[in-house]
Amino acid sequence: MRFIIRLDKIRIILTISILLIASIMSAVWAKPVLATYENSEEIIGSRYMDHMKQENREPEANLPFLFAVYTITWAGFFAYIFMLSRRQRDINLEIEYLKSKHTEIESKSQSNE
Amino acid sequence: MIPDIEFRSYGRWTRYFQDFVLVGSAIFMILTMYMVFLWVPTESNLGVSQRIFYFHVPLAWIGMVSIIIVSVSSAIHLITGREKWDHLAYAGAEVGVVFFTLLLATGVMWSKPVWGVWWTWDAKLTTTLILWFIYVSYIMLRAYGPKGSQGARYGAIIALIGAIDMPIIYMATVWWRTAHPEMNIGPLAESDSLDSRMQITLLISLISFTFLYVYVLIQRFYLRRSEGEVDEIYYKIG
């Protein structure tokens, strides 16, 4: 049981680490986006959303929104997985408690007999 | 008198599968990051903010997959009465709510630079918000409503009502004139409406999010089953 709990902890730590690495990488790799944007040869058009008008095409103007989206998404996943790990820990403790209580009652009834 | 305690833990193959999905998600997530920020070209009209697309669309995709899982497992639970389907429906609904919340949040953050407003009562946005409310009500009903099989049946009915909204969301851009763009992927999408590199990046992003979703869903399903078993023991103890 303890081994299983430890494995669960490792999994949760691994998941959170992956999310953390991914969020750091998104922050680090976002920087070259500006450089890519400034290079006109790299910019290609598609018909995607072409009916919309973008009032402000300055890359600096929209970058905070890009960062906000990635931050919100990763923060959301972090929060949810952290919540799941807490619930998992609580339920494991509860199971341990019920099992010990069960053993205790069983041993008492055996001694009475 | 305490009843016999028997807790079912993960099967060995489930654990292997979950580990595989976790590692797969990590690899694809790193690849997604590389492609989104370094590889894919910048869209000419929307500029940098278009890169939100590679997170926003997979979240919507997972939200839709989640609705299918919740509604199908709820229907099977109503027919068979087996608890495991209810646990799957509950897990799917909770994880789906997380993805839908992130979908709405990223949508709000994208609409400001593109449309100039944080929110508009566009058909797709409104129907998505309605679905979010339906699934939040599902979670609230299960948390505060009747327990046991009665609560599961009520929840299943709410889930099936919520499923009606799914095709409406999908077809919203076809049925109504909306601020949302026309479909870029799927059977109803126009061909070559998206650059090939953008399509590949979106595909990789979809795979990584699907892996992440499967991992979290399995975790939540087994947690829900354990919660059910603990509740059952407390109920028997009185």
Side-chain angles (χ1 to χ4, degrees), chain A residues 11 48 52 54 80 87, chain B residues 15 19 45 94 110 179 220:
Chain A
R11 280 196 177 84
Y48 174 63
M52 293 176 190
Q54 189 196 11
Y80 184 61
R87 277 198 229 164
Chain B
R15 281 191 177 276
D19 290 343
N45 289 325
E94 194 182 284
W110 196 10
R220 189 65 191 97

Side-chain angles (χ1 to χ4, degrees), chain B residues 48-115:
Chain B
V48 174
S49 69
Q50 189 268 341
R51 286 165 206 266
I52 295 170
F53 172 77
Y54 306 108
F55 262 36
H56 184 71
V57 174
L59 289 171
W61 154 260
I62 295 298
M64 289 295 183
V65 169
S66 210
I67 297 165
I68 295 168
I69 289 172
V70 174
S71 52
V72 168
S73 45
S74 293
I76 296 173
H77 172 71
L78 281 177
I79 295 163
T80 63
R82 293 183 72 179
E83 271 192 352
K84 71 172 180 183
W85 294 107
D86 175 53
H87 295 331
L88 183 61
Y90 185 90
E94 194 182 284
V95 181
V97 164
V98 172
F99 276 81
F100 260 110
T101 307
L102 293 173
L103 170 71
L104 289 170
T106 55
V108 164
M109 298 306 294
W110 196 10
S111 70
K112 180 64 179 168
V114 174
W115 298 337

Side-chain angles (χ1 to χ4, degrees), chain A residues 5-47:
Chain A
I5 292 170
R6 207 170 295 149
L7 265 181
D8 282 338
K9 275 183 185 170
I10 291 166
R11 280 196 177 84
I12 293 297
I13 289 164
L14 193 63
T15 314
I16 290 173
S17 317
I18 288 162
L19 292 175
L20 192 66
I21 290 164
S23 55
I24 290 166
M25 285 171 95
S26 65
V28 171
W29 283 346
K31 212 176 174 182
V33 167
L34 285 173
T36 312
Y37 190 84
E38 280 159 9
N39 183 0
S40 58
E41 284 178 10
E42 281 292 309
I43 300 171
I44 58 158
S46 75
R47 283 192 285 148

Side-chain angles (χ1 to χ4, degrees), chain A:
Chain A
M1 187 67 193
R2 282 187 190 284
F3 179 68
I4 289 169
I5 292 170
R6 207 170 295 149
L7 265 181
D8 282 338
K9 275 183 185 170
I10 291 166
R11 280 196 177 84
I12 293 297
I13 289 164
L14 193 63
T15 314
I16 290 173
S17 317
I18 288 162
L19 292 175
L20 192 66
I21 290 164
S23 55
I24 290 166
M25 285 171 95
S26 65
V28 171
W29 283 346
K31 212 176 174 182
V33 167
L34 285 173
T36 312
Y37 190 84
E38 280 159 9
N39 183 0
S40 58
E41 284 178 10
E42 281 292 309
I43 300 171
I44 58 158
S46 75
R47 283 192 285 148
Y48 174 63
M49 287 188 175
D50 55 3
H51 67 282
M52 293 176 190
K53 289 177 183 173
Q54 189 196 11
E55 288 181 1
N56 196 345
R57 288 195 188 181
E58 304 272 322
E60 290 85 356
N62 290 337
L63 208 58
F65 291 102
L66 184 64
F67 274 119
V69 163
Y70 282 80
T71 310
I72 286 169
T73 310
W74 292 124
F77 285 130
F78 275 129
Y80 184 61
I81 289 172
F82 179 71
M83 204 177 74
L84 272 188
S85 72
R86 292 292 294 265
R87 277 198 229 164
Q88 185 77 58
R89 191 196 63 181
D90 291 347
I91 207 84
N92 285 339
L93 287 173
E94 217 161 346
I95 288 169
E96 283 290 313
Y97 167 77
L98 282 170
K99 279 187 171 174
S100 65
K101 200 81 181 163
H102 183 247
T103 321
E104 193 184 307
I105 290 175
E106 262 189 350
S107 60
K108 266 184 189 173
S109 63
Q110 275 175 0
S111 62
N112 286 341
E113 282 169 13

